[in-house]
Amino acid sequence: MLLAIDCGNTNTVFSIWDGERFLCTLRTSTEHQRTADQYYVWLSTLLAHHRIPMEIDAVIISSTVPRVVFNLRVLSDRYFNCRPLVVGKPECLLPKLPRVDEGTQVGPDRLVNSAGAFDRYGGDLIVVDFGTATTFDVVAQDGAYVGGVIAPGVNLSLQALHEMAAALPHVDVTKPQKVIGTNTVACMQSGIFWGYVGLVRGVCDRIRGEYDRPMRIISTGGLAPLFGQGDTLFDEFDEFITIHGLRIIYDFNKAQGNV
């Protein structure tokens, strides 16, 4: 079985693929201090709870936090007796190479999102990922990542607003009943929600204008459903597009005899 690991700045997701379907998806906070032994105890306990045998013989990792990769490599070697594929490293082949400025290092999450989105929806896409950062990935007609946009994430913006403005409280992200807030919390919620709706719509419109082709917008990430409420921002919402992309990249490497 394949263990697909998506390590983001805030959370790390582990998914088990049995060759036909993902058996389960597990989430933990991203902590670079966590050892391989701690990962194994956590993972084995939850798999036993879900009655899934620990028969992992392959691992693929996408990580935006380089310091975490070492212990995930140790986890793979010590407990699963395999060398993991790490997206973004030279030994991990991609179905389509990114077309960006020479010397640019593309984030592995963006490469994986592009592979997963292209497999499910074809080309000419904008993938909007609501993570620690809000990213816009442009996927060409042939499936290559060709660039995009990085903006501060929703929760990051809220945290900065709370920490830098002494009089402003921390608030939850929610869709307000109306745009004009009549108290501080409502004003902040309106600013964040409608501000990001405007950000997403404006950036996607400009990408479409510059790209000069019809494009579909695919959303992913924990807050994507919230920003899709009652609005036509996205054509599709795909919660597991990153995990799916990891499986696609692994299968490509396997077909090439690289694993």
Side-chain angles (χ1 to χ4, degrees), residues 144-174:
Y145 169 84
V146 293
V149 175
I150 301 175
V154 177
N155 285 317
L156 193 63
S157 296
L158 272 174
Q159 181 181 345
L161 197 60
H162 168 60
E163 291 180 355
M164 301 305 293
L168 296 181
H170 178 77
V171 300
D172 293 327
V173 185
T174 186

Side-chain angles (χ1 to χ4, degrees), residues 84-130:
L85 275 176
V86 180
V87 179
K89 299 297 183 182
E91 62 270 19
C92 182
L93 305 177
L94 298 172
K96 287 290 181 181
L97 292 176
R99 294 196 290 273
V100 294
D101 294 343
E102 186 175 352
T104 299
Q105 186 173 358
V106 180
D109 54 330
R110 312 187 81 179
L111 298 173
V112 172
N113 281 350
S114 297
F118 179 70
D119 182 73
R120 283 187 167 169
Y121 306 105
D124 295 330
L125 303 174
I126 304 170
V127 182
V128 184
D129 190 345
F130 289 88

Side-chain angles (χ1 to χ4, degrees), residues 70-219:
F70 174 78
N71 283 322
L72 292 175
R73 284 184 181 273
V74 175
L75 170 72
S76 303
D77 178 65
R78 180 179 298 168
Y79 291 105
F80 308 131
N81 195 31
C82 68
R83 182 181 180 183
L85 275 176
V86 180
V87 179
K89 299 297 183 182
E91 62 270 19
C92 182
L93 305 177
L94 298 172
K96 287 290 181 181
L97 292 176
R99 294 196 290 273
V100 294
D101 294 343
E102 186 175 352
T104 299
Q105 186 173 358
V106 180
D109 54 330
R110 312 187 81 179
L111 298 173
V112 172
N113 281 350
S114 297
F118 179 70
D119 182 73
R120 283 187 167 169
Y121 306 105
D124 295 330
L125 303 174
I126 304 170
V127 182
V128 184
D129 190 345
F130 289 88
T132 304
T134 300
T135 59
F136 301 74
D137 303 326
V138 179
V139 184
Q141 189 175 31
D142 64 351
Y145 169 84
V146 293
V149 175
I150 301 175
V154 177
N155 285 317
L156 193 63
S157 296
L158 272 174
Q159 181 181 345
L161 197 60
H162 168 60
E163 291 180 355
M164 301 305 293
L168 296 181
H170 178 77
V171 300
D172 293 327
V173 185
T174 186
K175 182 180 179 181
Q177 294 183 348
K178 53 185 180 178
V179 176
I180 302 173
T182 53
N183 57 68
T184 301
V185 170
C187 289
M188 293 175 67
Q189 289 175 333
S190 182
I192 287 294
F193 182 84
W194 293 114
Y196 269 86
V197 168
L199 170 71
V200 171
R201 179 178 288 114
V203 169
C204 288
D205 285 348
R206 287 184 176 274
I207 289 174
R208 281 170 159 164
E210 192 170 292
Y211 194 71
D212 200 27
R213 292 178 66 97
M215 305 181 78
R216 299 177 71 195
I217 303 174
I218 314 300
S219 68

